[in-house]
Amino acid sequence: MADMRETLVDWLRDAHGMEKQAIDMMEAHSGRLEHYPELKAQIDRHIAETRGQVQRLEDCLGRLGADTSAVKTGLARASGMMQSLLGSTASDEVVKNAIGEASFERFEIANYRVLIAAAEACGEMEVKRLCEESLREEEAMASWLDQQLPIVTKRYLGMLETAGTSAAKR
């Protein structure tokens, strides 16, 4: 049981880093969405939700007598910043970022499903409950992004056709 709990703690730390990375990426993307107000508003709303997810993960770790990992969080955040910087150079940044965010939501969903199963196996029902709450938020965001990808794509292409690359990008 001790090995299972240690594994759960490691995975919670990984998820904490993942959510910190998500915040960094979404904040960078949000600042460059002037022509996509619906997308910007939803990303800003999800940033607030993600901050709540970070708090829940910290609560889970605290329940298990552990804290976050500065190394895991730092590496995840550095990865997110590099991804945002690379994306900002693309002329079709808004579409690529929307694809990336939809993919990242699926990654987060998979992580929360693993955390829920591990918490249940360890008998940590409050950890399970907290992770289920975050899972519901991630599933809702993934669903919303799935619906928005065609809309964002068509808006980008329409703006590209009428105003050129620099206007369509933002």
Side-chain angles (χ1 to χ4, degrees):
M1 185 69 141
D3 287 341
M4 285 175 35
R5 288 175 66 83
E6 288 173 22
T7 299
L8 176 58
V9 166
D10 282 343
W11 290 345
L12 287 165
R13 286 176 174 151
D14 290 341
H16 183 268
M18 169 188 73
E19 295 298 8
K20 290 288 206 168
Q21 176 184 4
I23 290 169
D24 290 343
M25 287 187 317
M26 287 186 294
E27 286 178 340
H29 297 166
S30 175
R32 298 188 300 265
L33 290 173
E34 66 188 53
H35 295 301
Y36 302 84
E38 301 87 10
L39 181 59
K40 179 178 177 26
Q42 183 68 12
I43 287 174
D44 290 345
R45 186 190 64 72
H46 195 57
I47 290 169
E49 280 182 343
T50 304
R51 285 191 176 107
Q53 293 166 5
V54 167
Q55 184 58 58
R56 284 194 288 275
L57 289 164
E58 291 171 359
D59 292 348
C60 290
L61 286 164
R63 292 184 62 77
L64 297 171
D67 56 10
T68 62
S69 168
V71 171
K72 287 184 178 193
T73 299
L75 288 172
R77 291 183 83 180
S79 172
M81 292 307 263
M82 287 299 292
Q83 201 170 13
S84 291
L85 286 172
L86 290 172
S88 69
T89 63
S91 63
D92 57 351
E93 172 189 16
V94 67
V95 176
K96 286 185 175 154
N97 285 345
I99 293 167
E101 286 167 9
S103 299
F104 201 80
E105 291 302 320
R106 298 289 182 230
F107 178 71
E108 290 171 307
I109 288 167
N111 274 275
Y112 280 112
R113 288 184 178 151
V114 166
L115 288 171
I116 289 163
E120 186 172 16
C122 292
E124 292 293 336
M125 302 322 277
E126 182 62 10
V127 171
K128 177 185 175 197
R129 185 191 70 74
L130 291 169
C131 289
E132 287 171 338
E133 190 174 336
S134 294
L135 174 62
R136 283 189 296 277
E137 293 170 350
E138 298 298 1
E139 288 173 333
M141 183 62 173
S143 177
W144 188 87
L145 284 167
D146 286 347
Q147 294 169 10
Q148 293 301 304
L149 284 171
I151 295 166
V152 168
T153 301
K154 289 174 186 175
R155 177 177 240 161
Y156 172 81
L157 292 172
M159 292 175 74
L160 183 63
E161 187 173 86
T162 60
T165 302
S166 62
K169 184 175 178 179
R170 296 184 149 257

